[in-house]
Amino acid sequence: MSPVTMDVHSNGNVKNLETVSTIVQIDDSDFLRLLDRSRPISIERNKSFNELSSTLSPLLFHRNVEKNSSHIFDLLDHTFSPVRSSLNTPRSNHCFEPHPVFTDAWEALRRSLVYFRGQPVGTIAAIDHSSDELNYDQVFVRDFVPSALAFLMNGEPEIVKNFILKTLRLQSWEKKVDLFKLGEGVMPASFKVFHDPVRNYDTLIADFGESAIGRVAPVDSGFWWIILLRAYTKSTGDSSLAEMPECQRGMRLILSLCLSEGFDTYPTLLCADGCCMIDRRMGVYGYPIEIQALFFMALRCALLLLKQDDKGKEFVELIAKRLHALSYHMQSYFWLDMKQLNDIYRYKTEEYSHTAVNKFNVMPDSLPNWVFDFMPSRGGYFIGNVSPAKMDFRWFCLGNCVAILSSLATPEQSSAIMDLIESRWQELVGEMPLKICYPTLEGHDWRIVTGCDPKNTRWSYHNGGSWPVLIWLLTAACIKTGRPQIARRAIELAESRLLKDNWPEYYDGKLGRYIGKQARKFQTWSIAGYLVAKMMLDDPSHLGMISLEEDKQLKPLFKRSLSWSH
């Protein structure tokens, strides 16, 4: 691959780009053939989403909803409808005026649309003409997820279908970093559309990590793609897209990368720093909670989407075994509450044998001082990382919220996570939702862990910054656990600032009081995250497209070793 120099247009095309990227030319016939092959199918419905919403709302908005959650989500799991949220959006006709922030958000989201040969295929990361574009004029897979959910909730699934098919085509392209070829199943981190005005021809330019900071492949992209495919199927009732041979093969390629046998002794995925939303050096290498939670959710979604044919059956069996081992491992070894913290504090070291109490040989003296004050008497969370002699006790928002939505967390653990958020509201939410991680790294830790990264200084960006996009994940988790009042409080905080501040990418400061020092304005996933949260709170039945209920078969058949019970 050779460097490329191109022009950019307002819809996200390239300008003065000199980078080693993958250039993909997709014929019109290829793209349209995939679109034509996916046709909606008719599914009988016993109850529409409108009827279901009116039935569910009083239950879901009651704090004691947990006792009814099994019945509620049994209904959600068997109900499909493409209807829009009852909120007043640009496509709905209601007599009341919507919140001005909501109206502005929809207008901003539509301005971010990117077109490929006349078809909307995604939304660019940000439309901030006051700063250098860098890669913010690209369509990122992870960034597009909240945009996709907003369009699905508003009854506009076509852009989501186009995005799924386009990224599927990019997956099949040969991917190289220098002389090394990446796995066939790797999904791109991002892509952009280059329009050649002379030939009147659109070309896709994909980045699989070869242009990213640190040159790290995006482990989370494939997981988000599977999760989005399930959300599309759930929202529209159209299973023909997921059943296409191309989509089935795409899922199998992603799963092949994750389920292959190797030297691992754990069911978790070993990852490099910078492989997910935290795409810079932040000490998340190893087994980060964000990747493990997304991995678990993607496996469960794939289990629902894969055909039980000769090719799919083998993967279904592998997934079932991995899910069982992964849920046990995460619930046992990543979970931290007051009791577990006290147990670790009293650990002995250098143990040997199957009855070892301190299985990972963690040194009690490595426990950070802050965690003793941070841990409430009621509450708990999945810590950031667990590996030999290492426990990262930082709180990571995305991983814990996805653990709730995927039912990686048990109902009791899900409730404890929400208790923690309520108890530590100032630390985790402050004046702008929501801390990406807590606490910050500073001083010597910042120098060693981040490599003196000037963008990840204390309480900024990935290092304890506040990210508005995370509000949709918090809202979904709140609804699932019967705590909508937490989401409503967070949304009101966001509404007081986001429009006035021109939709920043992130906020800085211990309380999230200041617009981030390098934050882009009109950041698309800040806009979409707010929209999804608002629509989901108005119509909780939307939760069904992004939430999975507990699978009783995944409960451990055996108890934890004595090391974790005494």
Side-chain angles (χ1 to χ4, degrees):
M1 295 174 290
S2 58
V4 186
T5 303
M6 302 174 183
D7 293 327
V8 94
H9 300 277
S10 60
N11 71 342
N13 297 333
V14 186
K15 181 177 183 179
N16 296 329
L17 173 70
E18 293 185 0
T19 183
V20 181
S21 298
T22 303
I23 301 179
V24 184
Q25 295 191 9
I26 300 180
D27 292 332
D28 287 308
S29 58
D30 289 336
F31 188 68
L32 295 175
R33 177 178 58 83
L34 292 175
L35 286 173
D36 290 340
R37 288 187 49 187
S38 172
R39 299 188 181 279
I41 60 174
S42 177
I43 297 178
E44 292 187 11
R45 302 171 178 85
N46 294 323
K47 183 177 288 191
S48 71
F49 258 30
N50 285 336
E51 294 170 330
L52 184 60
S53 178
S54 63
T55 303
L56 296 182
S57 295
L59 289 173
L60 285 169
F61 279 72
H62 193 280
R63 179 152 184 163
N64 295 325
V65 72
E66 292 161 7
K67 63 184 180 182
N68 301 307
S69 63
S70 177
H71 169 67
I72 289 171
F73 285 97
D74 281 345
L75 289 174
L76 285 174
D77 282 341
H78 292 87
T79 308
F80 305 90
S81 176
V83 301
R84 295 185 294 276
S85 166
S86 59
L87 279 172
N88 187 7
T89 74
R91 289 196 57 184
S92 59
N93 299 304
H94 292 282
C95 59
F96 62 87
E97 286 295 321
H99 196 290
V101 179
F102 187 79
T103 302
D104 186 87
W106 266 112
E107 293 173 355
L109 182 61
R110 296 195 188 284
R111 286 197 300 270
S112 72
L113 284 170
V114 174
Y115 291 83
F116 177 72
R117 299 176 187 171
Q119 296 278 353
V121 293
T123 52
I124 62 173
I127 310 178
D128 186 353
H129 300 301
S130 65
S131 303
D132 292 336
E133 287 171 333
L134 299 177
N135 59 352
Y136 283 86
D137 62 346
Q138 299 184 19
V139 180
F140 282 82
V141 172
R142 73 174 70 94
D143 291 37
F144 180 68
V145 171
S147 296
L149 295 176
F151 284 117
L152 288 174
M153 291 177 184
N154 200 46
E156 302 177 64
E158 283 303 310
I159 182 176
V160 183
K161 181 198 292 186
N162 295 344
F163 173 85
I164 289 171
L165 292 174
K166 179 191 56 59
T167 47
L168 183 66
R169 290 286 296 154
L170 294 175
Q171 181 199 40
S172 65
W173 211 253
E174 185 180 78
K175 303 169 275 283
K176 280 187 176 181
V177 176
D178 295 330
L179 301 178
F180 184 73
K181 183 178 178 181
L182 277 68
E184 191 176 3
V186 175
M187 279 287 184
S190 62
F191 66 87
K192 60 172 64 177
V193 178
F194 168 65
H195 180 72
D196 184 344
V198 177
R199 299 170 57 202
N200 193 26
Y201 192 77
D202 287 342
T203 303
L204 293 177
I205 302 173
D207 176 18
F208 292 91
E210 67 268 37
S211 299
I213 300 226
R215 304 301 186 262
V216 179
V219 177
D220 63 336
S221 287
F223 299 152
W224 279 122
W225 187 87
I226 293 175
I227 292 167
L228 186 57
L229 179 59
R230 187 259 177 185
Y232 173 89
T233 303
K234 189 75 173 175
S235 174
T236 64
D238 175 15
S239 62
S240 64
L241 178 63
E243 291 174 355
M244 288 172 48
E246 292 85 355
C247 283
Q248 291 288 310
R249 181 175 182 272
M251 279 189 286
R252 292 196 301 269
L253 287 175
I254 295 170
L255 295 171
S256 295
L257 293 175
C258 310
L259 299 176
S260 58
E261 295 180 349
F263 293 99
D264 293 308
T265 55
Y266 314 132
T268 42
L269 284 181
L270 181 62
C271 303
D273 237 338
C275 67
C276 50
M277 179 180 176
I278 298 179
D279 59 0
R280 300 171 74 91
R281 182 175 163 188
M282 269 292 292
V284 299
Y285 60 88
Y287 304 91
I289 178 61
E290 176 176 335
I291 291 297
Q292 313 315 320
L294 287 172
F295 180 34
F296 183 86
M297 189 164 191
L299 288 178
R300 290 202 63 193
C301 289
L303 203 58
L304 298 171
L305 298 172
L306 282 171
K307 288 184 177 180
Q308 293 277 0
D309 54 17
D310 292 339
K311 294 180 180 178
K313 190 174 181 180
E314 179 184 355
F315 282 93
V316 168
E317 293 173 354
L318 289 173
I319 290 172
K321 292 178 182 178
R322 190 61 165 264
L323 282 172
H324 194 307
L326 185 59
S327 62
Y328 173 80
H329 184 89
M330 297 297 296
Q331 291 169 10
S332 300
Y333 305 133
F334 273 67
W335 180 252
L336 188 72
D337 54 20
M338 179 70 82
K339 180 185 181 302
Q340 184 61 18
L341 178 59
N342 206 155
D343 289 344
I344 297 171
Y345 177 70
R346 292 168 50 84
Y347 270 169
K348 295 179 181 179
T349 60
E350 309 302 328
E351 294 178 298
Y352 180 81
S353 81
H354 293 293
T355 59
V357 173
N358 187 354
K359 284 185 176 293
F360 297 96
N361 199 35
V362 175
M363 305 299 159
D365 288 344
S366 69
L367 281 164
N369 292 329
W370 64 264
V371 75
F372 294 99
D373 295 327
F374 180 70
M375 181 61 68
S377 55
R378 288 185 57 192
Y381 64 103
F382 290 99
I383 63 175
N385 218 313
V386 176
S387 58
K390 174 189 174 183
M391 280 187 167
D392 182 351
F393 291 92
R394 285 178 294 175
W395 152 272
F396 290 88
C397 177
L398 193 152
N400 276 273
C401 287
V402 172
I404 292 175
L405 295 177
S406 64
S407 290
L408 171 59
T410 66
E412 295 77 19
Q413 289 172 335
S414 296
S415 182
I417 292 171
M418 302 311 298
D419 287 340
L420 176 82
I421 293 173
E422 283 193 296
S423 298
R424 298 293 176 257
W425 185 265
Q426 279 293 97
E427 291 87 347
L428 302 180
V429 181
E431 296 184 17
M432 173 55 66
L434 199 63
K435 288 295 179 194
I436 188 172
C437 71
Y438 181 90
T440 190
L441 297 169
E442 51 188 330
H444 179 71
D445 289 339
W446 169 76
R447 288 191 291 272
I448 296 300
V449 175
T450 73
C452 300
D453 187 349
K455 194 168 186 178
N456 273 329
T457 53
R458 67 174 189 163
W459 304 116
S460 181
Y461 202 51
H462 298 141
N463 189 16
S466 300
W467 291 69
V469 63
L470 296 171
I471 199 170
W472 80 265
L473 285 160
L474 174 66
T475 300
C478 288
I479 294 173
K480 184 173 182 181
T481 55
R483 312 276 188 97
Q485 73 281 0
I486 299 177
R488 189 178 294 110
R489 184 181 174 190
I491 290 172
E492 289 172 356
L493 276 176
E495 285 178 334
S496 69
R497 292 284 306 272
L498 287 177
L499 178 58
K500 180 174 63 176
D501 294 339
N502 292 324
W503 304 99
E505 177 184 11
Y506 63 94
Y507 286 77
D508 284 355
K510 198 168 186 179
L511 298 177
R513 182 176 293 174
Y514 306 99
I515 297 173
K517 59 183 177 181
Q518 295 188 42
R520 292 299 194 278
K521 300 292 185 70
F522 299 102
Q523 183 80 13
T524 302
W525 71 352
S526 295
I527 296 165
Y530 163 75
L531 286 172
V532 172
K534 193 78 170 175
M535 287 191 283
M536 201 180 302
L537 196 60
D538 175 72
D539 183 358
S541 66
H542 287 314
L543 180 65
M545 72 173 74
I546 200 65
S547 176
L548 296 164
E549 273 307 281
E550 184 181 21
D551 187 344
K552 305 296 184 182
Q553 295 180 351
L554 293 181
K555 288 198 170 182
L557 300 177
F558 51 92
K559 294 182 179 180
R560 293 192 295 190
S561 67
L562 294 177
S563 64
W564 298 89
S565 57
H566 291 289

